[in-house]
Structure formats: structure tokens, C-alpha cells
Amino acid sequence: KIAVFANEHIGLHINQYGYYDRLNLELLFTFLSPLTGCFKEALALDIGANIGNHSLFFSRYFGSVCSFEPNQRTFDLLSFNSKSVDNVTPFKFGLGDVEGVFTLNENPNNMGSSSIKYSDFSQSRRVDISVKRLDDIDLPSAEINFVKIDVEGFESNVIKGGLGVLKKSQPLIIFEQHASEFENGSTEAIDLLKSLGYRFCWQMPESRQKGWLSRQIGTIGGALLGRPVNYVFKTGDTIPCGKYGMLIAVPARFQAQLGFGANSTAAQAAA
């Protein structure tokens, strides 16, 4: 059970499917299943937690979850929802590279897309929020093995403000990237993580169809007809320009367990 905003993008998905982005979350943790033992007693950080959809999902896999959400309205629901489990702790501030008060452009139709960086929403509402650096806050003593960053274009700022923690803990990192952030085959966030020894993989449907449109039709048709859609997690030195809701950054200590090697395909999962 989770409290949501009525008539809002994420709330509508939760009402229909139980979790927002449920399929991708289940595929992700199927792919990460070799790390289940490492995760069991570890700490996960949910940066950009919104109302707690992902935090509650993560609470099934990790010993504890720290959830960061700076918007008062979404934090109120995060705080309420986190009471349904005993291992999620909410914090009412965001993370970045400079401590201070920032203006958040709130999107009432999709609260999860509210952004410090982007403001091209109709009916947007401007909200003052508190931001701190990850390197400056006190965290539980448990080992940090997993970090999710979904802050609508502010990912590189979060990483820069937490380089000390990330370098020391070397967690697996799931983060979002927009196509507009790519330049010369990379982004600032990707380059920062590469400097710490991370390698990357991303999810895509496997298909023998060559064209993009044919692949999409095959994927949708398979779902409608109840046939499994095979997904592969690709890895490579260059990440194709695109929008990634879950780009996976893997530290050296987890790369062998997730099948990183000479082949470009890291692993497969079926939906």
C-alpha cells in the first residue's frame, strides 16, 4: 500500500501496476541477483526519492534505505509511506555539489519530473528547497553498496558533491541521463564515474529485427500477446546517446560478478 497524488503520472501507474516502473525494477534486480548476498545487510541511498516508490521496492533487498527528497509536498507522502516498513529513513533535503537553498520547478502533472535544472513545464510551480553535499552528511555505519540518483539533470552535481563517499564505498549506481546531456559520446556524470573506475551497462530489448520501429513493434506485440520479451544488458566503452531511466554504473569490485568481460553483452533477463 502506498499513498499517491491523485491524477498524477506516477500515482496513476502505481494504482494500475502496484509500483511505478515495476517491470524495469524487476528486470534490474534479476540482473543484479549475483549481488543479493552483498546487498542483504548493506545500505542503499535513494537520491530523488519522490513519494517513496523506489525506496519501498529497495527495502526488500537491502538492510536499510536512506531516502532524500527536498520538496515538502512529496516528502510528506514519502514520510507517510516509509512508515509501512521499518528500514527506510527519509531526509527532507536534496543532494548536490553546493550546500544552500535552490529553486525547484515543480511539475504538478508529474511530480517526479520536477527539476532544479529544467523548467519547461506548463503550470509549473516554483518551490524553495534545501540542498546538501553527500560528503558532508552523517550516514549510518552500514556499508553503502547501492545508490540510485534520479534528479532530472542534476546527477553530475550530486556525484561531484559525493565523490569522497563514492570513491570510498564504491557502490553500484543507478542513474538517469537525458539525451540532451550527451556530447561527444558522453556526459559529465558518466565521465566523473569513469574517473572512479566505473563501467557501464544499459538495458534494451533483444530483437533480430534490424530497424528501430520493427524492434518496438515486436516488443509491444510480444507484450500484448503474452509472449516473453528478452532484454539484454549491454556494456561498452561508449554509451549510445539517448534517454536512460536506469543507466547502471558498476564499480570494479562488482564487475566480474555481473559478467563484464570481452563480450559486449553483460547478461540477459526476460519479462
Side-chain angles (χ1 to χ4, degrees), residues 77-93:
L77 288 186
L78 168 64
S79 181
F80 177 83
N81 290 326
S82 65
K83 293 176 182 177
S84 67
V85 294
D86 59 7
N87 61 342
V88 174
T89 303
F91 294 86
K92 194 174 76 68
F93 54 84

Side-chain angles (χ1 to χ4, degrees), residues 8-58:
E8 182 265 349
H9 176 73
I10 291 175
L12 292 172
H13 274 253
I14 291 172
N15 279 328
Q16 187 167 5
Y17 302 112
Y19 279 102
Y20 178 71
D21 217 13
R22 181 172 187 162
L23 174 60
N24 284 327
L25 285 168
E26 290 176 347
L27 286 169
L28 172 66
F29 279 88
T30 298
F31 173 59
L32 298 180
S33 59
L35 304 178
T36 299
C38 302
F39 290 164
K40 194 172 182 181
E41 302 299 326
L43 171 64
L45 306 183
D46 186 357
I47 303 170
N50 198 259
I51 63 173
N53 176 84
H54 283 51
S55 294
L56 294 180
F57 194 93
F58 298 156

